[in-house]
Amino acid sequence: MGWGSIIAAVDTLSRETMLFAAIGFLIGGIDDIAIDLVYLRHRAKRAHRPSLDEFPVCQTPGRIAIFVAAWDEANVIGAMLRSALARIDYPDFRIYVGTYPNDPATMDAVAEVVEHDARVRLVTGRENGPTTKAIASTSSGARCCATRRTRPLGPRRWCCMMPRMSCMQANCAFSTR
């Protein structure tokens, strides 16, 4: 066996390998074209995508309920609430602050703000703290439902059961600067 037969064997092996690779690339290319065609067909069906400008603007915005869960926040909650009241540029909102019965300092700080602004509501939960923010927000949501004369439900249903009131939870989202 001479060099000529070794070179011929390597040549045959490389041609077969390239043929195998070419078939793999062809199958991959057909796959990509098929996916592109499906995408183009889908995009053609929904030719017009509405922009935000096309949606109607609500002329009578509803009330917004903001839930704030507070545990051991006596040093910052008053300033945070006053800052939020000054910064929120919306005509009709309420801030429900969920506190705990064993945290009188935080309740006093919130009550001080409540005395000066009716948009803030103090909500004291049934359980002693600390618990989770979710439990404090649930108490706030139950109070919000009671304010709207709506039967308290789980947090997933509050917004659905309170027409014209949107809900959000804030974890001291407003700085005092």
Side-chain angles (χ1 to χ4, degrees):
M1 189 161 150
W3 286 105
S5 60
I6 293 175
I7 291 175
V10 169
D11 184 48
T12 304
L13 182 65
S14 66
R15 287 178 191 231
E16 292 297 324
T17 305
M18 283 197 255
L19 179 63
F20 181 72
I23 291 172
F25 285 130
L26 179 66
I27 292 171
I30 291 171
D31 183 351
D32 286 345
I33 288 173
I35 290 173
D36 290 343
L37 290 175
V38 169
Y39 168 75
L40 291 173
R41 180 174 169 240
H42 176 70
R43 186 168 178 172
K45 281 185 176 180
R46 50 179 193 106
H48 175 70
R49 295 184 74 187
S51 68
L52 193 57
D53 295 332
E54 296 175 29
F55 288 98
V57 177
C58 182
Q59 299 300 322
T60 56
R63 178 177 293 165
I64 295 176
I66 303 169
F67 304 128
V68 180
W71 162 253
D72 197 21
E73 305 277 348
N75 297 332
V76 295
I77 194 72
M80 188 280 293
L81 290 171
R82 284 189 286 278
S83 176
L85 291 167
R87 292 179 182 194
I88 295 175
D89 183 26
Y90 195 79
D92 192 14
F93 68 93
R94 300 285 183 273
I95 300 176
Y96 293 86
V97 184
T99 60
Y100 298 94
N102 63 336
D103 188 9
T106 301
M107 288 191 298
D108 292 341
V110 174
E112 186 178 311
V113 177
V114 170
E115 288 177 15
H116 300 291
D117 199 316
R119 296 175 292 180
V120 178
R121 308 289 166 90
L122 174 62
V123 180
T124 304
R126 294 184 200 126
E127 296 182 33
N128 286 334
T131 62
T132 63
K133 296 267 186 190
I135 291 173
S137 294
T138 301
S139 299
S140 301
R143 174 72 180 267
C144 180
C145 288
T147 302
R148 300 273 302 155
R149 291 185 178 88
T150 305
R151 185 170 56 97
L153 299 169
R156 293 181 183 157
R157 300 287 308 263
W158 290 337
C159 296
C160 300
M161 296 302 293
M162 293 184 290
R164 296 177 39 89
M165 182 180 285
S166 300
C167 307
M168 68 174 277
Q169 177 182 354
N171 295 323
C172 292
F174 298 94
S175 68
T176 57
R177 290 186 221 159

